[in-house]
Amino acid sequence: MHVKKIRVVEDALDANNTIARANRTDFDRAGVTVVNFMSSPGAGKTTLLERALERLDHEIRLGVLEGDVQGSLDADRLAHHHAPVVQINTDPGFGGECHLDANMVRSALPSLPLDEIDLLIVENVGNLVCPAEFRIGEDARVMASAVTEGEDKPLKYPLMFRACDFVLVNKIDLLPHLDFDMDAFLANLEAVHPGVPYALVSARTGEGLDAWFDWLRDVAVRDREAA
Amino acid sequence: MHVKKIRVVEDALDANNTIARANRTDFDRAGVTVVNFMSSPGAGKTTLLERALERLDHEIRLGVLEGDVQGSLDADRLAHHHAPVVQINTDPGFGGECHLDANMVRSALPSLPLDEIDLLIVENVGNLVCPAEFRIGEDARVMASAVTEGEDKPLKYPLMFRACDFVLVNKIDLLPHLDFDMDAFLANLEAVHPGVPYALVSARTGEGLDAWFDWLRDVAVRDREAA
């Protein structure tokens, strides 16, 4: 029974990787750089996305794929920006699938005007475990970790923090009101993912967000030069 | 392929329910009431547990089962209390299983001194999706939702909010520093789970925690009277 279970899991991840590679090929062909954006529920991904859409509007042609268990609240929040926004609901999956997988993203491709997008940001389901397991065809991965969640999170969810190319430490405007030990958080981050770049930001006040915009610019340019 | 996938999922949930019933029978036989405690990562479950261990220490014989992907940080935090604390790591599962299931809890039973426990609180993995799917043999379910996560969470993770018998709206000490609309949150909660009892609390300042202690007392007594 145990062996069977592991076999099913391996098959599922193999199938996912195959579809992720097909997505990547399609994105590359269309000249679209893809960022997989992950975090806990409520860490501020959508607000960080809004700030990016406002700031990079005239520089990079952005697109957004919104992954949610149910509803289109986040897509609605972003709808007034110029960028095309497509919603994926994971609800028909495993009683509310807890992550996006390559096939869900693939099923959204026909709804995305890929030839009008340079940089596609995929907002994953809020979850610090499973999204890190499933490649979707992305070029880079970024996560937001809110200081309100506590400094132990890298140690408790190491796979997620290890899977990322960049970490946004968000909600720093609340630091004066929290018992959050930033040095301990950064030491924990360094312990699970040595050398990973990070930025201390507040999506609410705008503090530190230039590092987020610079990272997005950099990813988009790097991918174009590699192509 | 789609049919096969759903079949695997149904089989997994059926198998889980069978083991959950066996756990429940064992808990009932030992006179142990079991509470499944769920939330996002960093919503304050462990601190809320600590407050309960401090307050109910001389009234109810408490025990704790700590579920984490990796490590024993939370179990270590609770170790100085009188209550027996047992750690389960979900790590050997699906690359860091994102929830506790009935079999993981079952495997911990031999480590738990059931005859010395009246009320066992199981701290689930921080995740608003999958823990709601997997019964573990509990008598009641409670979740913590931190105001720092935003007022839209009931709408975005409806299964979790619907699965709970009680909701702790935590971190209210931070309300003066947030753009959190409590009326909207409570309306969203009522929309997905009409009539569910809730309490506004701060594990940090102690505000409102009597409702949490009362709920735990009540669950323990109710289960004993039903037995």
Side-chain angles (χ1 to χ4, degrees), chain A:
Chain A
M1 184 59 197
H2 189 57
V3 173
K4 245 190 215 156
K5 187 184 163 197
I6 289 176
R7 182 62 192 279
V8 168
V9 167
E10 278 178 0
D11 285 355
L13 284 180
D14 278 354
N16 185 71
N17 283 336
T18 302
I19 301 170
R21 276 191 295 273
N23 290 351
R24 184 75 177 268
T25 303
D26 288 354
F27 288 133
D28 283 349
R29 195 173 294 146
V32 179
T33 304
V34 179
V35 168
N36 187 355
F37 192 12
M38 303 179 282
S39 81
S40 299
K45 286 191 298 308
T46 311
T47 309
L48 287 161
L49 252 175
E50 286 196 275
R51 297 293 94 85
L53 290 175
E54 289 156 11
R55 179 61 162 271
L56 300 174
D57 185 32
H58 296 288
E59 284 181 56
I60 304 177
R61 295 181 308 165
L62 289 163
V64 177
L65 204 54
E66 273 296 336
D68 280 302
V69 176
Q70 217 176 74
S72 60
L73 289 172
D74 291 345
D76 298 346
R77 274 174 66 185
L78 301 176
H80 67 283
H81 294 279
H82 291 140
V85 178
V86 171
Q87 178 80 49
I88 304 179
N89 281 140
T90 64
D91 200 21
F94 194 171
E97 194 89 49
C98 61
H99 58 277
L100 288 177
D101 66 24
N103 200 42
M104 294 177 203
V105 170
R106 190 149 197 81
S107 70
L109 292 188
S111 314
L112 281 166
L114 290 182
D115 50 347
E116 297 165 23
I117 297 172
D118 297 320
L119 182 63
L120 178 69
I121 306 180
V122 183
E123 185 177 342
N124 217 310
V125 178
N127 180 349
L128 287 187
V129 187
C130 301
E133 306 265 348
F134 288 84
R135 291 259 161 207
I136 55 174
E138 70 271 47
D139 296 282
R141 295 163 143 198
V142 55
M143 73 168 292
S145 184
V147 293
T148 46
E149 297 168 34
E151 57 274 315
D152 57 350
K153 292 301 158 294
L155 301 181
K156 293 184 71 178
Y157 303 90
L159 186 65
M160 174 60 73
F161 285 84
R162 222 172 263 145
C164 281
D165 303 298
F166 188 50
V167 178
L168 292 161
V169 186
N170 194 23
K171 307 198 184 181
I172 57 167
D173 55 294
L174 295 174
L175 283 173
H177 315 294
L178 301 173
D179 312 308
F180 182 85
D181 182 340
M182 184 64 82
D183 290 339
F185 174 83
L186 294 176
N188 291 339
L189 179 62
E190 181 68 18
V192 302
H193 192 163
V196 65
Y198 63 85
L200 310 186
V201 304
S202 166
R204 196 190 188 202
T205 67
E207 194 181 343
L209 288 183
D210 279 337
W212 166 225
F213 307 140
D214 285 345
W215 185 82
L216 287 171
R217 282 186 193 106
D218 197 51
V219 166
V221 168
R222 226 188 312 145
D223 191 50
R224 219 169 309 150
E225 283 172 354

